[in-house]
Amino acid sequence: MEIAKAAALEVLSCKDDILQEEFDIRYQDVKLLMKNYRKLRTYYDKVSDDTLEVNAICSMHRKTGLMMSHVDKMLTAYRVLCERSEIPEETRRWEVLYLRYMSDERMNLRDIAERLNINKRTLYRDTDRAMEDMAVLLFGIEAIGTWRHSMRCSA
């Protein structure tokens, strides 16, 4: 009986580690996706199927297109959610995300903070929260579960 109890406790402790690792991976994936948004958008928009001769490259182009289509839809949904919110911080989060990762006008963090009349710490906090929100939109219920787990563990 004690062996079974010990084994169950070991499995539960591993589960927490796995959930935390999934949380970290999703968060990093969203950060990388947003950091490379302009490049991925350019890649998909500029590379023509006519100019691609290697099947693997064509396949990557299609996969990139599907992913970028999904990302763009979720970004549009996030923009609408933020703009319709009565909470000013949520509206600002969209502005931070847009100016930092999507705007044609490249701005450094200091300039974004000045434009939005916030300090850099608030800019980082808004970016982190926007990434969490985007993870939920991009990954659905799986992201909710890992974020809820992460919040519970840090509480």
Side-chain angles (χ1 to χ4, degrees):
M1 187 68 159
E2 291 300 316
I3 294 173
K5 216 179 211 181
L9 288 173
E10 180 66 26
V11 168
L12 285 176
S13 78
C14 289
K15 178 184 172 198
D16 288 345
D17 292 342
I18 291 167
L19 286 174
Q20 183 61 45
E21 186 176 326
E22 287 176 7
F23 165 77
D24 293 341
I25 289 168
R26 279 198 191 86
Y27 185 80
Q28 291 305 318
D29 286 349
V30 173
K31 283 181 77 169
L32 278 172
L33 179 66
M34 294 312 303
K35 183 178 179 183
N36 292 291
Y37 179 85
R38 289 182 188 98
K39 293 174 194 161
L40 288 166
R41 172 61 37 217
T42 300
Y43 170 82
Y44 182 68
D45 289 345
K46 303 295 180 199
V47 176
S48 159
D49 283 335
D50 297 336
T51 62
L52 299 173
E53 297 178 12
V54 179
N55 284 338
I57 294 173
C58 290
S59 176
M60 284 189 296
H61 183 255
R62 277 187 228 105
K63 288 177 186 175
T64 301
L66 288 170
M67 184 62 179
M68 291 309 296
S69 176
H70 177 63
V71 169
D72 286 341
K73 287 176 187 173
M74 295 305 103
L75 284 167
T76 298
Y78 187 59
R79 179 181 52 81
V80 169
L81 287 170
C82 289
E83 289 174 352
R84 289 183 180 169
S85 175
E86 295 180 11
I87 302 168
E89 291 81 8
E90 289 185 7
T91 303
R92 188 182 65 224
R93 280 186 209 125
W94 165 254
E95 293 170 352
V96 166
L97 191 69
Y98 178 79
L99 291 172
R100 192 160 178 197
Y101 298 110
M102 294 171 283
S103 173
D104 290 335
E105 178 185 1
R106 297 281 185 125
M107 300 173 69
N108 63 39
L109 297 176
R110 182 178 42 81
D111 292 340
I112 294 170
E114 284 178 11
R115 179 180 285 186
L116 298 176
N117 198 27
I118 58 176
N119 61 41
K120 281 176 81 173
R121 185 176 177 148
T122 301
L123 181 108
Y124 285 119
R125 192 171 39 249
D126 283 350
T127 299
D128 287 344
R129 185 63 190 272
M131 295 297 180
E132 291 174 7
D133 293 342
M134 283 303 301
V136 172
L137 290 171
L138 291 169
F139 299 113
I141 195 72
E142 289 182 26
I144 292 171
T146 55
W147 254 276
R148 184 178 303 136
H149 170 76
S150 174
M151 293 163 77
R152 188 176 58 236
C153 286
S154 63

